[in-house]
Short mmCIF file of all heavy atoms in Angstrom, two decimals:
data_model
loop_
_atom_site.label_atom_id
_atom_site.label_comp_id
_atom_site.label_asym_id
_atom_site.label_seq_id
_atom_site.Cartn_x
_atom_site.Cartn_y
_atom_site.Cartn_z
N VAL N 256 96.10 93.11 82.42
CA VAL N 256 97.17 93.36 81.45
C VAL N 256 97.38 92.24 80.46
O VAL N 256 97.44 92.44 79.21
CB VAL N 256 98.50 93.70 82.20
CG1 VAL N 256 99.64 93.81 81.18
CG2 VAL N 256 98.43 95.05 82.95
N ARG N 259 94.31 92.06 78.11
CA ARG N 259 94.38 93.08 77.05
C ARG N 259 95.44 92.75 76.02
O ARG N 259 95.21 92.94 74.83
CB ARG N 259 94.64 94.47 77.71
CG ARG N 259 93.40 95.14 78.17
CD ARG N 259 93.72 96.25 79.10
NE ARG N 259 94.35 97.40 78.51
CZ ARG N 259 95.07 98.30 79.17
NH1 ARG N 259 95.22 98.14 80.43
NH2 ARG N 259 95.61 99.29 78.54
N GLY N 260 96.58 92.26 76.46
CA GLY N 260 97.68 91.90 75.59
C GLY N 260 97.21 90.80 74.61
O GLY N 260 97.54 90.89 73.37
N LEU N 263 94.62 92.35 72.08
CA LEU N 263 95.25 93.23 71.09
C LEU N 263 96.19 92.55 70.13
O LEU N 263 96.27 92.87 68.97
CB LEU N 263 96.03 94.38 71.82
CG LEU N 263 95.17 95.33 72.65
CD1 LEU N 263 96.04 96.22 73.53
CD2 LEU N 263 94.26 96.20 71.77
N SER N 264 96.86 91.49 70.68
CA SER N 264 97.76 90.77 69.84
C SER N 264 97.08 90.21 68.60
O SER N 264 97.71 90.11 67.51
CB SER N 264 98.38 89.57 70.65
OG SER N 264 99.37 90.04 71.47
N ARG N 272 104.94 93.54 65.09
CA ARG N 272 105.09 93.10 66.46
C ARG N 272 106.51 93.35 67.01
O ARG N 272 106.99 92.57 67.82
CB ARG N 272 104.61 91.66 66.63
CG ARG N 272 103.16 91.47 66.37
CD ARG N 272 102.79 90.01 66.39
NE ARG N 272 103.18 89.40 67.62
CZ ARG N 272 102.49 89.41 68.71
NH1 ARG N 272 101.37 90.01 68.79
NH2 ARG N 272 102.94 88.78 69.78
N ARG N 273 107.15 94.34 66.54
CA ARG N 273 108.51 94.65 67.04
C ARG N 273 108.39 94.88 68.56
O ARG N 273 107.39 95.31 69.05
CB ARG N 273 108.95 95.97 66.37
CG ARG N 273 110.37 95.90 65.86
CD ARG N 273 110.71 97.18 65.19
NE ARG N 273 111.71 97.92 65.89
CZ ARG N 273 111.75 99.19 66.07
NH1 ARG N 273 110.79 99.94 65.52
NH2 ARG N 273 112.73 99.80 66.71
N PHE N 274 109.41 94.55 69.28
CA PHE N 274 109.51 94.66 70.73
C PHE N 274 108.66 93.64 71.47
O PHE N 274 108.48 93.64 72.65
CB PHE N 274 109.04 96.04 71.26
CG PHE N 274 109.72 97.16 70.67
CD1 PHE N 274 109.10 98.17 70.00
CD2 PHE N 274 111.11 97.26 70.83
CE1 PHE N 274 109.74 99.26 69.48
CE2 PHE N 274 111.82 98.37 70.32
CZ PHE N 274 111.13 99.34 69.66
N LEU N 275 108.08 92.65 70.71
CA LEU N 275 107.19 91.74 71.36
C LEU N 275 107.79 90.37 71.57
O LEU N 275 107.17 89.46 72.19
CB LEU N 275 105.85 91.63 70.69
CG LEU N 275 104.86 92.70 71.26
CD1 LEU N 275 104.94 93.98 70.52
CD2 LEU N 275 103.47 92.19 71.26
N ASP N 276 108.90 90.05 70.93
CA ASP N 276 109.46 88.74 71.09
C ASP N 276 110.92 88.69 71.61
O ASP N 276 111.49 89.73 71.84
CB ASP N 276 109.40 88.05 69.72
CG ASP N 276 108.01 88.04 69.16
OD1 ASP N 276 107.14 87.42 69.85
OD2 ASP N 276 107.70 88.68 68.19
N ASN Z 276 102.79 84.02 67.90
CA ASN Z 276 102.56 84.29 69.37
C ASN Z 276 101.35 85.28 69.50
O ASN Z 276 101.36 86.35 68.92
CB ASN Z 276 103.85 84.92 69.94
CG ASN Z 276 103.70 85.17 71.42
OD1 ASN Z 276 102.73 84.78 72.03
ND2 ASN Z 276 104.71 85.81 71.99
N THR Z 278 100.17 86.53 72.35
CA THR Z 278 100.12 87.15 73.67
C THR Z 278 101.23 88.17 73.78
O THR Z 278 102.01 88.33 72.83
CB THR Z 278 100.36 86.11 74.82
OG1 THR Z 278 101.71 85.66 74.70
CG2 THR Z 278 99.44 84.96 74.71
N THR Z 279 101.34 88.87 74.89
CA THR Z 279 102.47 89.80 75.09
C THR Z 279 103.67 89.05 75.80
O THR Z 279 104.58 89.70 76.22
CB THR Z 279 102.07 90.96 75.97
OG1 THR Z 279 101.26 90.47 77.08
CG2 THR Z 279 101.21 91.95 75.20
N GLY Z 280 103.57 87.77 75.87
CA GLY Z 280 104.60 86.96 76.50
C GLY Z 280 105.76 86.63 75.55
O GLY Z 280 105.57 86.65 74.33
N SER Z 281 106.91 86.36 76.14
CA SER Z 281 108.07 85.96 75.29
C SER Z 281 108.91 85.02 76.18
O SER Z 281 108.62 84.88 77.39
CB SER Z 281 108.88 87.14 74.81
OG SER Z 281 109.34 87.86 75.93
N ARG Z 282 110.02 84.54 75.64
CA ARG Z 282 110.91 83.66 76.45
C ARG Z 282 111.40 84.48 77.69
O ARG Z 282 111.34 83.97 78.80
CB ARG Z 282 112.08 83.25 75.58
CG ARG Z 282 112.45 81.80 75.83
CD ARG Z 282 113.56 81.39 74.83
NE ARG Z 282 114.86 81.60 75.44
CZ ARG Z 282 115.47 80.60 76.14
NH1 ARG Z 282 114.87 79.45 76.31
NH2 ARG Z 282 116.68 80.80 76.65
N ALA Z 283 111.73 85.69 77.41
CA ALA Z 283 112.33 86.52 78.54
C ALA Z 283 111.32 86.72 79.62
O ALA Z 283 111.57 86.57 80.82
CB ALA Z 283 112.75 87.88 78.02
N THR Z 284 110.02 87.04 79.24
CA THR Z 284 109.03 87.32 80.32
C THR Z 284 108.63 86.01 81.01
O THR Z 284 108.29 86.05 82.20
CB THR Z 284 107.76 87.93 79.72
OG1 THR Z 284 107.21 87.13 78.71
CG2 THR Z 284 108.03 89.28 79.17
N ARG Z 285 108.71 84.92 80.28
CA ARG Z 285 108.35 83.66 80.98
C ARG Z 285 109.34 83.27 82.00
O ARG Z 285 109.00 82.90 83.13
CB ARG Z 285 108.18 82.48 79.95
CG ARG Z 285 106.73 82.45 79.37
CD ARG Z 285 106.53 81.24 78.46
NE ARG Z 285 107.04 81.49 77.16
CZ ARG Z 285 106.37 82.13 76.21
NH1 ARG Z 285 105.20 82.64 76.44
NH2 ARG Z 285 106.88 82.37 75.02
N LEU Z 353 105.90 105.50 75.39
CA LEU Z 353 105.16 104.32 75.91
C LEU Z 353 105.81 103.78 77.14
O LEU Z 353 105.02 103.30 78.04
CB LEU Z 353 104.99 103.29 74.81
CG LEU Z 353 104.31 103.75 73.53
CD1 LEU Z 353 104.23 102.62 72.50
CD2 LEU Z 353 102.90 104.25 73.86
N ALA Z 357 103.86 103.32 80.70
CA ALA Z 357 103.75 102.01 81.37
C ALA Z 357 104.37 102.01 82.75
O ALA Z 357 103.76 101.46 83.70
CB ALA Z 357 104.42 100.97 80.47
N TRP Z 478 108.69 92.47 85.36
CA TRP Z 478 107.84 91.60 84.49
C TRP Z 478 106.61 92.37 84.03
O TRP Z 478 106.23 92.33 82.81
CB TRP Z 478 107.47 90.36 85.33
CG TRP Z 478 106.60 89.39 84.63
CD1 TRP Z 478 106.98 88.39 83.79
CD2 TRP Z 478 105.10 89.37 84.71
NE1 TRP Z 478 105.88 87.67 83.31
CE2 TRP Z 478 104.73 88.25 83.85
CE3 TRP Z 478 104.15 90.06 85.31
CZ2 TRP Z 478 103.38 87.92 83.65
CZ3 TRP Z 478 102.81 89.76 85.12
CH2 TRP Z 478 102.45 88.66 84.31
N LEU Z 479 106.00 93.08 85.01
CA LEU Z 479 104.80 93.84 84.66
C LEU Z 479 105.12 94.98 83.64
O LEU Z 479 104.33 95.23 82.71
CB LEU Z 479 104.23 94.51 85.93
CG LEU Z 479 103.08 93.82 86.64
CD1 LEU Z 479 102.77 94.50 87.92
CD2 LEU Z 479 101.81 93.80 85.67
N LEU Z 480 106.25 95.60 83.84
CA LEU Z 480 106.64 96.69 82.94
C LEU Z 480 106.72 96.26 81.51
O LEU Z 480 106.21 96.92 80.59
CB LEU Z 480 107.97 97.33 83.43
CG LEU Z 480 108.45 98.52 82.57
CD1 LEU Z 480 107.49 99.67 82.64
CD2 LEU Z 480 109.83 98.97 83.05
N ILE Z 481 107.37 95.07 81.29
CA ILE Z 481 107.52 94.56 79.94
C ILE Z 481 106.12 94.35 79.32
O ILE Z 481 105.81 94.76 78.20
CB ILE Z 481 108.39 93.28 79.88
CG1 ILE Z 481 109.75 93.57 80.47
CG2 ILE Z 481 108.50 92.69 78.49
CD1 ILE Z 481 110.61 92.35 80.61
N HIS Z 482 105.28 93.62 80.08
CA HIS Z 482 103.94 93.30 79.53
C HIS Z 482 103.12 94.57 79.27
O HIS Z 482 102.46 94.66 78.26
CB HIS Z 482 103.22 92.37 80.49
CG HIS Z 482 103.54 90.96 80.34
ND1 HIS Z 482 103.11 90.18 79.27
CD2 HIS Z 482 104.36 90.10 81.05
CE1 HIS Z 482 103.60 88.94 79.37
NE2 HIS Z 482 104.38 88.89 80.45
N ARG Z 483 103.17 95.49 80.26
CA ARG Z 483 102.36 96.70 80.11
C ARG Z 483 102.88 97.52 78.92
O ARG Z 483 102.09 98.14 78.24
CB ARG Z 483 102.39 97.52 81.41
CG ARG Z 483 101.52 98.75 81.41
CD ARG Z 483 100.07 98.37 81.22
NE ARG Z 483 99.24 99.54 81.04
CZ ARG Z 483 99.08 100.19 79.82
NH1 ARG Z 483 99.69 99.71 78.77
NH2 ARG Z 483 98.30 101.23 79.75
N PHE Z 484 104.17 97.60 78.76
CA PHE Z 484 104.74 98.33 77.57
C PHE Z 484 104.23 97.67 76.31
O PHE Z 484 103.88 98.32 75.36
CB PHE Z 484 106.27 98.30 77.64
CG PHE Z 484 106.82 98.67 76.25
CD1 PHE Z 484 106.86 99.98 75.84
CD2 PHE Z 484 107.30 97.70 75.40
CE1 PHE Z 484 107.32 100.30 74.62
CE2 PHE Z 484 107.74 98.03 74.16
CZ PHE Z 484 107.81 99.32 73.73
N ARG Z 485 104.28 96.35 76.24
CA ARG Z 485 103.86 95.66 75.02
C ARG Z 485 102.37 95.94 74.66
O ARG Z 485 102.01 96.09 73.54
CB ARG Z 485 104.13 94.19 75.11
CG ARG Z 485 105.62 93.86 75.00
CD ARG Z 485 105.98 92.48 75.26
NE ARG Z 485 107.37 92.22 75.02
CZ ARG Z 485 108.03 91.11 75.27
NH1 ARG Z 485 107.40 90.08 75.81
NH2 ARG Z 485 109.30 91.01 75.10
N VAL Z 486 101.58 95.96 75.75
CA VAL Z 486 100.14 96.33 75.53
C VAL Z 486 100.02 97.68 74.85
O VAL Z 486 99.30 97.93 73.92
CB VAL Z 486 99.35 96.21 76.83
CG1 VAL Z 486 97.97 96.88 76.70
CG2 VAL Z 486 99.17 94.80 77.27
N ALA Z 487 100.80 98.68 75.45
CA ALA Z 487 100.80 100.02 74.96
C ALA Z 487 101.27 100.04 73.47
O ALA Z 487 100.73 100.74 72.63
CB ALA Z 487 101.68 100.91 75.80
N TRP Z 488 102.29 99.28 73.16
CA TRP Z 488 102.86 99.16 71.83
C TRP Z 488 101.82 98.64 70.85
O TRP Z 488 101.66 99.17 69.77
CB TRP Z 488 104.11 98.34 71.81
CG TRP Z 488 104.73 98.11 70.47
CD1 TRP Z 488 104.64 97.02 69.67
CD2 TRP Z 488 105.42 99.10 69.76
NE1 TRP Z 488 105.31 97.29 68.47
CE2 TRP Z 488 105.82 98.51 68.51
CE3 TRP Z 488 105.87 100.40 69.99
CZ2 TRP Z 488 106.55 99.22 67.52
CZ3 TRP Z 488 106.56 101.08 69.02
CH2 TRP Z 488 106.91 100.49 67.77
N LEU Z 489 101.05 97.60 71.28
CA LEU Z 489 100.02 96.99 70.42
C LEU Z 489 98.91 98.07 70.18
O LEU Z 489 98.41 98.17 69.04
CB LEU Z 489 99.43 95.78 71.10
CG LEU Z 489 100.35 94.53 71.12
CD1 LEU Z 489 99.75 93.45 72.01
CD2 LEU Z 489 100.57 94.01 69.73
N GLU Z 490 98.54 98.84 71.26
CA GLU Z 490 97.53 99.84 71.06
C GLU Z 490 97.98 100.90 70.03
O GLU Z 490 97.21 101.28 69.22
CB GLU Z 490 97.29 100.54 72.42
CG GLU Z 490 96.28 99.78 73.30
CD GLU Z 490 96.24 100.34 74.72
OE1 GLU Z 490 97.15 101.16 75.09
OE2 GLU Z 490 95.35 99.95 75.47
N TYR Z 491 99.27 101.23 70.15
CA TYR Z 491 99.84 102.24 69.22
C TYR Z 491 99.78 101.66 67.81
O TYR Z 491 99.39 102.40 66.84
CB TYR Z 491 101.28 102.52 69.66
CG TYR Z 491 102.05 103.35 68.64
CD1 TYR Z 491 101.65 104.62 68.32
CD2 TYR Z 491 103.16 102.76 68.00
CE1 TYR Z 491 102.38 105.36 67.41
CE2 TYR Z 491 103.83 103.50 67.07
CZ TYR Z 491 103.53 104.79 66.80
OH TYR Z 491 104.21 105.56 65.88
N GLN Z 492 100.15 100.43 67.59
CA GLN Z 492 100.13 99.79 66.26
C GLN Z 492 98.73 99.76 65.68
O GLN Z 492 98.46 99.99 64.52
CB GLN Z 492 100.73 98.39 66.29
CG GLN Z 492 102.21 98.32 66.55
CD GLN Z 492 102.98 99.09 65.52
OE1 GLN Z 492 102.60 99.11 64.34
NE2 GLN Z 492 104.03 99.75 65.87
#
Side-chain angles (χ1 to χ4, degrees):
Chain N
V256 168
R259 272 164 70 201
L263 294 169
S264 282
R272 294 174 55 84
R273 227 177 114 217
F274 303 122
L275 270 88
D276 302 296
Chain Z
N276 185 5
T278 67
T279 44
S281 60
R282 220 174 95 89
T284 58
R285 271 185 280 277
L353 299 180
W478 179 86
L479 262 174
L480 179 63
I481 298 174
H482 277 285
R483 185 60 189 83
F484 163 77
R485 286 173 175 174
V486 166
W488 178 255
L489 288 170
E490 278 170 347
Y491 170 65
Q492 290 302 325

